[in-house]
Amino acid sequence: GSTANPRTDTELSADLSVEASFTPNAITGFAAWVNDHGLTGADAEKLASPQGDGMSNLTKYAFNIDPPLNGGIESQESSEPGRLPTVSRQAAGNGRLIVEYLRRKSATDISYTVEFSENLSSAPGGWVASENEVAVIEIDSDWERVTVEDAAMYDGSPNRFVRVKIDFIDNE
């Protein structure tokens, strides 16, 4: 007979290749925004204001405002500068209040509601949602500029208030 010499690991060779693909659950929406801006811990909470400017992270996310910077500084997400909604009074004709704001086009974790009121109360008859969008202008693939006109005429009395309410929708 013959005796076989055992091979050592250094003498073995093989053409073996393994391909694997892994797709992690994509982080989207507010969670992705928090991650992209390096916010962690308590600073990453929706209602947190890590810069101490009184503006919540959710507000900054909704209106494209970069969290490390105060005010309407241009965000990395769009060519459109981030800013809080603006309110004006129609100069000619009916004198209605007009609000303009930036809206995330594909956001599934927030909703925007424009509301008008004659007082700041949450009581019935207080804030009334408006569906009177007079213009929606596409800015880019992620953002649009929305203009909403108050249905009520404003003649200076008694009072008229407007807000853009942002609600977080927990999709988990």
Side-chain angles (χ1 to χ4, degrees):
S2 70
T3 59
N5 291 331
R7 292 184 168 186
T8 64
D9 286 343
T10 57
E11 295 172 331
L12 294 176
S13 68
D15 289 329
L16 174 67
S17 66
V18 176
E19 288 186 40
S21 66
F22 173 71
T23 305
N25 291 337
I27 299 174
T28 60
F30 181 78
W33 181 86
V34 164
N35 187 55
D36 292 347
H37 289 89
L39 300 173
T40 60
D43 286 348
E45 296 295 320
K46 290 179 282 298
L47 298 180
S49 178
Q51 297 304 310
D53 57 9
M55 196 180 316
S56 73
N57 286 332
L58 188 59
T59 300
K60 290 180 179 183
Y61 165 68
F63 298 122
N64 196 27
I65 299 171
D66 201 2
L69 305 170
N70 294 329
I73 305 301
E74 187 170 332
S75 175
Q76 300 298 318
E77 298 181 41
S78 169
S79 60
E80 179 77 7
R83 63 179 177 166
L84 291 173
T86 59
V87 179
S88 61
R89 183 172 166 226
Q90 195 173 47
N94 61 26
R96 297 175 197 271
L97 291 180
I98 297 171
V99 62
E100 183 180 277
Y101 65 97
L102 296 179
R103 178 170 64 192
R104 288 181 177 272
K105 290 167 62 172
S106 60
T108 60
D109 59 349
I110 57 173
S111 67
Y112 299 78
T113 307
V114 176
E115 298 178 325
F116 294 92
S117 178
E118 290 183 0
N119 59 59
L120 297 175
S121 171
S122 295
W127 293 102
V128 177
S130 173
E131 296 180 14
N132 194 19
E133 286 184 1
V134 293
V136 178
I137 300 169
E138 182 174 316
I139 295 168
D140 57 29
S141 61
D142 297 317
W143 294 94
E144 57 194 6
R145 185 179 307 109
V146 180
T147 304
V148 176
E149 183 179 275
D150 190 359
M153 297 265 281
Y154 176 74
D155 61 4
S157 64
N159 292 312
R160 200 71 180 150
F161 302 94
V162 61
R163 69 181 177 186
V164 180
K165 185 177 170 190
I166 306 300
D167 288 310
F168 185 76
I169 302 164
D170 193 355
N171 293 318
E172 293 181 12

